[in-house]
Amino acid sequence: MALERDTIVRTAIRLLDEVGLEKLTLRRLATELGVQAPALYWHFRNKQELLDEMAEAISVQEPLAPLAEGESWEEWLAEWLRGQRRVFKSHRDTARLTAGTHPGTATLRTVETILESLLRAGFTRTDAMWGLGTLASFLGGFVLEEQSDQERGTNDPALFEGALESLAPYPNVRAVMAETGGPQTDASFEHGMALILSGMRALLETQADGR
């Protein structure tokens, strides 16, 4: 039973990469598996439960180890976020998939690891959770834009040059786009992540001064 469930999830992820989230139906999945659609309900109560399981399977591709003694919590979180971006980009429509799913055991285990590690670094439980939530929202939104650009083909260099020309009436927008290469670049991701982490660091320092 467990193996069959795992086979369903792996096949569903492969179909996600091939046809995208909108066209991933239980009927198409059943056909791919060589069964009738009702047979899937022996393993999943509904499509949402399957999507939840797919999101979990994708999220565990790069497991997170706890913050080590003496390790920088900022670098530790930054490396985790970079890894999550790599995982999200390794499959199609993952930002949309994860945005609509409920956290399972693997996700909750990761959240617990992050909270416990940040508590040891000096954060309050609430501030740690809010910081993590802000990082997760940034990640999801950033990758959503990246994957949307890929679907539309707007990440083509020739199209980018055309877009720059259309921005001629807006010289400041055009200049920064030309300088940075657009809003969805590695440099842009690193900068946005650094802004959030610096805010978390400032909050931590304020709390330390208060004590």
Side-chain angles (χ1 to χ4, degrees):
M1 185 71 71
L3 178 59
E4 291 179 5
R5 186 180 176 96
D6 181 64
T7 299
I8 293 170
V9 172
R10 286 189 285 106
T11 304
I13 292 174
R14 178 169 57 79
L15 278 178
L16 174 71
D17 290 336
E18 292 175 3
V19 304
L21 187 59
E22 289 183 2
K23 294 181 180 179
L24 176 60
T25 64
L26 292 181
R27 184 182 297 276
R28 185 189 289 263
L29 176 59
T31 299
E32 190 73 15
L33 290 165
V35 299
Q36 297 296 315
L40 297 178
Y41 291 103
W42 286 100
H43 304 275
F44 299 96
R45 290 173 295 178
N46 49 50
K47 183 180 179 181
Q48 185 58 57
E49 189 173 287
L50 171 63
L51 296 177
D52 292 345
E53 194 85 4
M54 291 167 60
E56 286 290 285
I58 291 172
S59 70
V60 299
Q61 291 182 10
E62 292 201 18
L64 177 67
L67 179 69
E69 188 68 30
E71 184 178 8
S72 164
W73 65 266
E74 291 175 81
E75 278 305 312
W76 176 75
L77 267 184
E79 193 53 40
W80 170 73
L81 206 69
R82 294 182 188 111
Q84 287 300 106
R85 182 184 175 215
R86 287 193 297 270
V87 168
F88 275 29
K89 292 178 68 175
S90 69
H91 296 284
R92 185 175 175 180
D93 286 342
T94 45
R96 292 174 56 205
L97 170 68
T98 55
T101 52
H102 302 94
T105 302
T107 298
L108 292 174
R109 190 182 300 119
T110 297
V111 172
E112 184 66 22
T113 296
I114 292 174
L115 294 183
E116 188 274 333
S117 296
L118 292 181
L119 282 170
R120 286 193 284 110
F123 286 91
T124 67
R125 189 175 288 108
T126 299
D127 287 340
M129 190 65 178
W130 283 351
L132 173 59
T134 302
L135 286 168
S137 295
F138 168 70
L139 170 70
F142 196 94
V143 176
L144 178 63
E145 291 293 340
E146 286 187 296
Q147 293 184 324
S148 296
D149 283 350
Q150 187 174 11
E151 287 288 324
R152 294 191 299 264
T154 51
N155 53 355
D156 185 303
L159 292 178
F160 180 73
E161 289 300 320
L164 283 181
E165 293 305 315
S166 70
L167 292 173
Y170 315 100
N172 289 308
V173 177
R174 186 183 188 282
V176 74
M177 289 285 283
E179 290 169 6
T180 63
Q184 272 72 56
T185 63
D186 291 344
S188 176
F189 181 81
E190 290 291 326
H191 184 72
M193 179 175 61
L195 285 176
I196 298 172
L197 292 174
S198 66
M200 293 176 66
R201 181 176 65 252
L203 179 62
L204 186 61
E205 291 171 351
T206 299
Q207 292 173 340
D209 290 342
R211 288 195 294 268

